[in-house]
Amino acid sequence: MTDTPAQPAAPHGAGHRRGPFAPGDRVQLTDEKRRMNTVTLTPGGQFHTHRGVLDHDALIGEPEGVVVENSEGRRYQALRPLLKDFVLSMPRGAAVVYPKDAAQIVTMGDIYPGARVLEAGVGSGALSISLLRAVGDAGYLHSIERREEFADIARGNVETIFGGPHPAWNISIGDFQDQATALEEPGSIDRVVLDMLAPWECVDSVATVLAPGGVWVNYVATVTQLSRTAEAIRADGRFTEPESWESMVRGWHLDGLAVRPDHRMVAHTGFLLTTRRLADGAAGIPGQKRVKNTEFAAEDLNAWTREHDDEAWSASNLGERGVSSKKLRRAAKDAKSIKQRGAFRDADGNGLDPDDFPEPDADR
């Protein structure tokens, strides 16, 4: 008689992604006009519109993909939100890294299961979620964020989608240059991902903690940032020749023989720049062509110095709206509320007693 091998434990949060709907699940409802709404299922809860009421109990216990009717006979198809749906609808303080860019970062940055990854510029946690999925339970993701408010929002969003704290995730508050070298051993990090205003200021810190052969990925919004980061990497000499690109996604309209590109597309969101750490003492091989002018004008240098690195000034110069403290507090509260409503299941998907949790705010 042979022993049956033990089944490996399901990855953290997998229980939230399979099986019948249960209390605490996030469910995406799509009506007959393709309009979408996302609700968190609670026993006795209801989803109200001006065209009827849908009881949450009509979904609890049903398989994913079921089609149900509300009190007025309106039909809804019910599915769990995909990652791309979640990150574009979750509470946010800072702008999120779009799914198209997060996918590029995971693939082109070679983020693999078990990797040790250092991230800075957590924002609302969208990229952190993709990185945690890539490194897995046995990996390591250390996220560094300057603002406690952003960290609170990210923490709530990450715990919502994974059903609780992720075992591979650690988040610190402070500047990357200080935290990275203080908390990580030299050469101990496999991948570094920076989403910040001035990544060129972090060259020495990245070179210190990144292992030889490790990949450094930068996500920047403007050509000024892109150029200055690339030149700083070249001047340092401890990295390979940097590569940069942007991705654009255009959908297609499909209706019988009327097949054509959509009139709208997700165009520029940011630039990606990657490079790899050379062995200590190795001299990098430059690109085939060297640029004729690597000097920055005074206004370029003044535009990206640290004395201007406050949120209102930076947002203004990037063409973005600033984020008020009130909005950040509200986003953090929403993220925590959604996490509480999802607490009716544990990380393995097992049901918990809703009476053990405080009543959160209603879905807005």
Side-chain angles (χ1 to χ4, degrees):
M1 182 177 180
T2 59
D3 294 333
T4 303
Q7 294 294 320
H12 194 82
H16 282 256
R17 308 299 306 160
R18 60 166 66 105
F21 291 131
D25 281 354
R26 296 277 286 171
V27 177
Q28 189 178 77
L29 302 174
T30 305
D31 66 14
E32 294 165 336
K33 293 186 177 181
R34 312 305 303 169
R35 293 174 297 200
M36 295 183 183
N37 289 276
T38 303
V39 300
T40 302
L41 296 181
T42 56
Q46 293 181 323
F47 169 64
H48 290 258
T49 72
H50 67 288
R51 294 192 171 183
V53 178
L54 176 65
D55 293 326
H56 290 195
D57 292 336
L59 294 169
I60 295 175
E62 295 295 324
E64 187 173 4
V66 68
V67 177
V68 296
E69 293 185 357
N70 71 0
S71 59
E72 299 295 326
R74 304 287 176 177
R75 301 170 71 239
Y76 293 89
Q77 66 182 25
L79 295 163
R80 290 186 176 93
L82 300 177
L83 175 60
K84 67 180 181 67
D85 302 316
F86 178 81
V87 299
L88 294 178
S89 63
M90 68 187 188
R92 66 175 70 175
V96 301
V97 175
Y98 268 68
K100 72 181 183 69
D101 295 319
Q104 290 274 306
I105 290 170
V106 168
T107 300
M108 305 304 286
D110 191 37
I111 313 295
Y112 57 87
R116 292 180 58 84
V117 181
L118 184 61
E119 172 199 20
V122 177
S124 301
L127 180 57
S128 302
I129 293 170
S130 292
L131 295 175
L132 286 169
R133 282 191 167 187
V135 302
D137 294 3
Y140 175 80
L141 175 64
H142 182 186
S143 301
I144 299 174
E145 172 56 53
R146 293 179 61 190
R147 299 190 59 174
E148 182 73 47
E149 305 97 315
F150 286 157
D152 289 339
I153 296 169
R155 197 176 289 113
N157 288 328
V158 168
E159 294 185 10
T160 294
I161 198 166
F162 287 108
H166 195 284
W169 195 39
N170 179 40
I171 187 167
S172 301
I173 307 299
D175 287 328
F176 178 86
Q177 297 94 314
D178 300 329
Q179 298 293 319
T181 53
L183 301 178
E184 302 294 347
E185 294 294 327
S188 64
I189 297 298
D190 300 310
R191 305 291 185 260
V192 173
V193 181
L194 300 187
D195 174 15
M196 58 170 57
L197 285 173
W200 57 86
E201 296 178 345
C202 304
V203 172
D204 188 64
S205 298
V206 173
T208 299
V209 300
L210 193 59
V215 181
W216 177 14
V217 182
N218 292 281
Y219 181 72
V220 295
T222 71
V223 292
T224 307
Q225 293 169 290
L226 181 66
S227 175
R228 191 167 179 189
T229 303
E231 292 309 316
I233 289 172
R234 288 180 177 132
D236 182 78
R238 288 177 283 182
F239 297 90
T240 61
E241 179 69 9
E243 299 178 358
S244 182
W245 72 97
E246 65 175 332
S247 61
M248 301 183 185
V249 176
R250 182 174 69 178
W252 278 68
H253 172 84
L254 302 173
D255 187 4
L257 295 179
V259 180
R260 55 169 174 74
D262 282 341
H263 297 305
R264 300 179 63 185
M265 66 179 293
V266 181
H268 175 76
T269 49
F271 298 103
L272 292 171
L273 183 147
T274 63
T275 185
R276 300 186 69 178
R277 177 70 158 91
L278 295 171
D280 289 338
I285 299 175
Q288 292 183 348
K289 288 186 177 181
R290 290 295 294 161
V291 292
K292 296 180 180 179
N293 182 13
T294 62
E295 297 298 323
F296 292 90
E299 57 268 25
D300 293 327
L301 293 174
N302 291 335
W304 298 107
T305 51
R306 287 193 62 80
E307 56 262 29
H308 292 304
D309 197 14
D310 64 88
E311 181 188 353
W313 187 94
S314 302
S316 173
N317 279 269
L318 287 174
E320 298 176 353
R321 290 184 177 180
V323 184
S324 68
S325 298
K326 180 179 180 181
K327 180 179 179 181
L328 290 176
R329 290 194 298 270
R330 180 63 190 181
K333 180 180 179 182
D334 288 347
K336 182 178 180 181
S337 176
I338 293 172
K339 179 188 71 174
Q340 288 177 337
R341 291 199 293 276
F344 301 144
R345 277 191 177 197
D346 62 18
D348 297 323
N350 300 314
L352 302 176
D353 187 356
D355 293 335
D356 293 339
F357 298 89
E359 184 67 24
D361 295 338
D363 272 327
R364 291 184 295 118

